[in-house]
Amino acid sequence: MKILLKNALILKNAFSDFVKENIFIENGKIVEIGKFQRQADKVYDLSGKLIMPGFVNAHTHAAMTLMRGVAEDVSLEEWLFKKIFPIEDKLTPEDVYIGTMIAQMEMARKGVVAYVDMYFHCEAVVQAAIDFGMKALITRGLTDQSGSDNGRLRQNIEYFEKFNGKDGLVFIGFGPHAPYSCSLDYLDRVATVANELGAPVTIHLYESEKETYSLKEILKTKLSECRVIFAHCVHLKESDIELLAKESFFVAHSPTSNLKLANGIAPVSKMLEKNIQVCLGTDGAASNNTLDIWHEMRLASLLQKARDPVKICTTEALSMATLTGAKASGLTSGSLDTGYDADLIVLDIEKPWYLPLEQLKSHLIHSANSLDVYATMIKGRWVYFNGVFPTVDESEIKNRFEGVVQRLIDIEN
C-alpha cells in the first residue's frame, strides 16, 4: 500500500521546526518527506492539519478501564487492597481483552501509538493489540509475596517465547510489580531471565511515601543490567536520583495518578538536571481516570513550573511524550524520518486556540486538546480517522464492555 499525505504542516520531532511538506508511506514505512509529487494508492489532503510523531504511554494497566471510577476519593492502600484487587480476582481473559480494546480506542483517539502495559491474562492483551493494530510492550505483573510466585515468571517467559515481536506490534517484557511485593532474590531471578532474553523490565518504584526500601540494594541485583522503566519515582531520596542516571534506565512519570491518590509530586526537574531519562505514563484508568498523554504532558510541565517558570520547557515536554517514551519502550521511533515506521498523528490546528501559529510548538503543550486529534496511524495503518476506528467494530466492543462491567457489578452485589 502506497499512501501520500500532502499539504500538512509537519513536526518531525520535538527538537525540529515546522515545515510544510508531503509524506510518502509504503508498506508501513516512511519513504520520503519533502516537496514532491508521487503516485499513491491513497492520497490524503491534510490542509489545515499538523502531522507529528505519535505519543507513547510509558506506564499503564490498559484493562483497568473496567474499573474506571469505581474507587474515588480514597488512599492508595484502600484503593488497591479494598477496591481494585477484589475486582481483579474476578477477571477472565475475555474481560481483560475487552478492557484493553476500550483502552486502545481511547488512546488512539487521543494520539497514542504505543503503550507499556503491566497486567495479567497477557495472552488477551496481546490479542487485543494485534486485533486493534496498536504497538504494545506487554509485561506480566510479577510478585512473590507469599514466598512463591505461583508460576508467574514461567508464564511470563512463555509469553516472551510465543509472542515477542509478533506482527511488529507486540513485544514482551517482564513486570515485577514493586520492591514491596517482590523479594530481592525474586527481583534478581526476574532480572537475570530478562537480561538473558534481552527483554526490558518495568517496575513501580517509590510511588508512595510509605515505601522505605533501599534503591541501592535493589540495584545490586541483575536489574542494574537491564533496560528498566521505573514507574512513578515520586519519593526518591536525593541520594537515589543519581543512581537512575543511566543509559538503560527510564522514569515513567504519571502526574495525574500521583496527585489523585495523594502520593505527591515527583521531583522531575531534579531528575532532568541529573540527566535521568523521563517519559510519561497515565497509569491505569482506575486511578487517573483518563488515558490522555496530552493532559499528562501539560500537567508535568506546570507542576515543575509552580516554583520556577523555566522548568520543563516546551521541547522537554514534547520529548518526554514522544522521543524518550519511544526510547524507553523500544516500540517506535518518536520521530518522523525516512526508514521509520509511519507511527504518527494528525492534529486539526484550524482552531482559535492554535493562533497565533508563530507560537505553535508552545500551543501543543499549553493550548492543545487531545480531542483535536484528527487521525492516528500505526505502521502505515489508520487506527483512528476522523471519528472512526477502522480496525474494529466500535459498537460491538462497547456493548461487550458494558456486559463485562454489568457482570462484575452483579457478582459484587
Side-chain angles (χ1 to χ4, degrees):
M1 173 69 75
K2 297 177 181 179
I3 300 171
L4 177 63
L5 310 180
K6 66 178 187 178
N7 298 330
L9 274 181
I10 297 173
L11 182 67
K12 293 182 179 179
N13 61 59
F15 298 92
S16 66
D17 295 323
F18 297 95
V19 294
K20 191 166 187 178
E21 295 180 341
N22 298 334
I23 300 179
F24 187 76
I25 298 162
E26 186 172 4
N27 297 325
K29 299 281 187 182
I30 297 173
V31 173
E32 185 177 1
I33 301 176
K35 298 182 185 298
F36 57 80
Q37 292 296 325
R38 279 179 177 254
Q39 295 297 312
D41 302 302
K42 295 283 187 180
V43 178
Y44 297 88
D45 186 341
L46 297 175
S47 301
K49 307 294 192 297
L50 168 67
I51 302 174
M52 62 181 285
F55 290 161
V56 177
N57 186 345
H59 178 66
T60 194
H61 314 280
M64 292 182 83
T65 52
L66 292 162
M67 289 155 270
R68 194 194 315 258
V70 303
E72 299 295 314
D73 310 318
V74 296
S75 68
L76 172 63
E77 290 73 21
E78 183 175 352
W79 174 84
L80 186 62
F81 294 105
K82 293 185 179 180
K83 300 289 187 178
I84 300 303
F85 281 169
I87 295 174
E88 288 185 329
D89 286 342
K90 302 163 188 167
L91 296 182
T92 68
E94 172 65 11
D95 298 341
V96 170
Y97 175 87
I98 292 299
T100 301
M101 288 296 274
I102 287 290
Q104 291 176 147
M105 289 167 65
E106 179 180 352
M107 287 190 283
R109 177 65 182 85
K110 295 177 177 179
V112 171
V113 298
Y115 65 101
V116 179
D117 197 61
M118 179 194 289
Y119 218 56
F120 51 93
H121 295 319
C122 294
E123 68 282 358
V125 184
V126 168
Q127 194 61 54
I130 291 169
D131 289 350
F132 189 83
M134 184 168 277
K135 291 185 172 182
L137 172 59
I138 297 168
T139 71
R140 207 285 182 217
L142 305 170
T143 67
D144 72 333
Q145 286 173 297
S146 60
S148 168
D149 78 343
N150 296 314
R152 294 185 181 95
L153 179 55
R154 179 67 251 171
Q155 191 178 53
N156 203 150
I157 295 169
E158 291 170 358
Y159 291 143
F160 183 91
E161 293 170 343
K162 187 174 182 179
F163 298 120
N164 190 56
K166 189 169 178 60
D167 292 358
L169 294 170
V170 168
F171 294 85
I172 304 298
F174 290 77
H177 175 258
Y180 63 78
S181 56
C182 297
S183 66
L184 285 175
D185 286 345
Y186 187 59
L187 280 178
D188 192 60
R189 280 178 57 206
V190 171
T192 297
V193 171
N195 192 43
E196 289 173 352
L197 295 175
V201 173
T202 186
I203 182 172
H204 298 88
L205 186 75
Y206 292 124
E207 182 176 5
S208 163
E209 63 183 350
K210 296 180 180 179
E211 297 172 41
T212 58
Y213 42 75
S214 166
L215 180 58
K216 187 174 291 187
E217 291 301 311
I218 290 166
L219 295 182
K220 288 179 181 178
T221 70
K222 286 287 184 178
L223 203 63
S224 64
E225 300 177 18
C226 298
R227 185 169 97 240
V228 186
I229 302 171
F230 295 96
H232 299 297
C233 297
V234 179
H235 296 281
L236 283 176
K237 303 178 186 68
E238 289 279 349
S239 58
D240 289 337
I241 291 179
E242 291 191 17
L243 296 177
L244 297 181
K246 186 176 176 180
E247 181 68 20
S248 60
F249 288 171
F250 300 85
V251 169
H253 178 40
S254 302
T256 300
S257 178
N258 296 156
L259 291 173
K260 192 166 188 288
L261 294 175
N263 285 322
I265 301 171
V268 173
S269 293
K270 291 182 179 180
M271 295 185 208
L272 293 174
E273 288 168 4
K274 296 297 183 180
N275 297 316
I276 293 175
Q277 301 172 98
V278 181
C279 45
L280 295 173
T282 60
D283 212 344
S287 66
N288 189 309
N289 297 24
T290 76
L291 304 176
D292 189 342
I293 291 294
W294 289 96
H295 180 74
E296 303 302 317
M297 181 169 62
R298 185 173 191 228
L299 184 57
S301 175
L302 293 179
L303 285 172
Q304 302 304 310
K305 289 179 182 297
R307 297 184 183 280
D308 186 346
V310 306
K311 302 299 185 183
I312 313 289
C313 68
T314 297
T315 299
E316 285 177 316
L318 279 172
S319 182
M320 288 162 66
T322 55
L323 285 164
T324 311
K327 186 178 178 184
S329 66
L331 295 170
T332 186
S333 67
S335 184
L336 304 180
D337 209 344
T338 56
Y340 291 157
D341 283 352
D343 301 333
L344 56 86
I345 58 177
V346 181
L347 198 66
D348 182 358
I349 56 173
E350 288 193 321
K351 303 284 176 63
W353 47 92
Y354 288 102
L355 297 174
L357 286 177
E358 287 75 12
Q359 308 301 326
L360 183 54
K361 191 176 283 190
S362 174
H363 301 337
L364 292 179
I365 308 301
H366 297 295
S367 301
N369 186 305
S370 61
L371 297 185
D372 297 336
V373 174
Y374 178 81
T376 299
M377 174 181 279
I378 300 171
K379 288 178 69 68
R381 183 187 188 195
W382 299 116
V383 294
Y384 172 75
F385 192 90
N386 192 23
V388 176
F389 298 94
T391 63
V392 297
D393 184 328
E394 181 177 358
S395 295
E396 180 193 359
I397 295 298
K398 286 180 177 177
N399 288 337
R400 290 167 66 184
F401 181 87
E402 291 295 345
V404 172
V405 171
Q406 189 58 56
R407 194 195 91 243
L408 294 173
I409 292 172
D410 291 344
I411 291 173
E412 191 171 352
N413 292 337

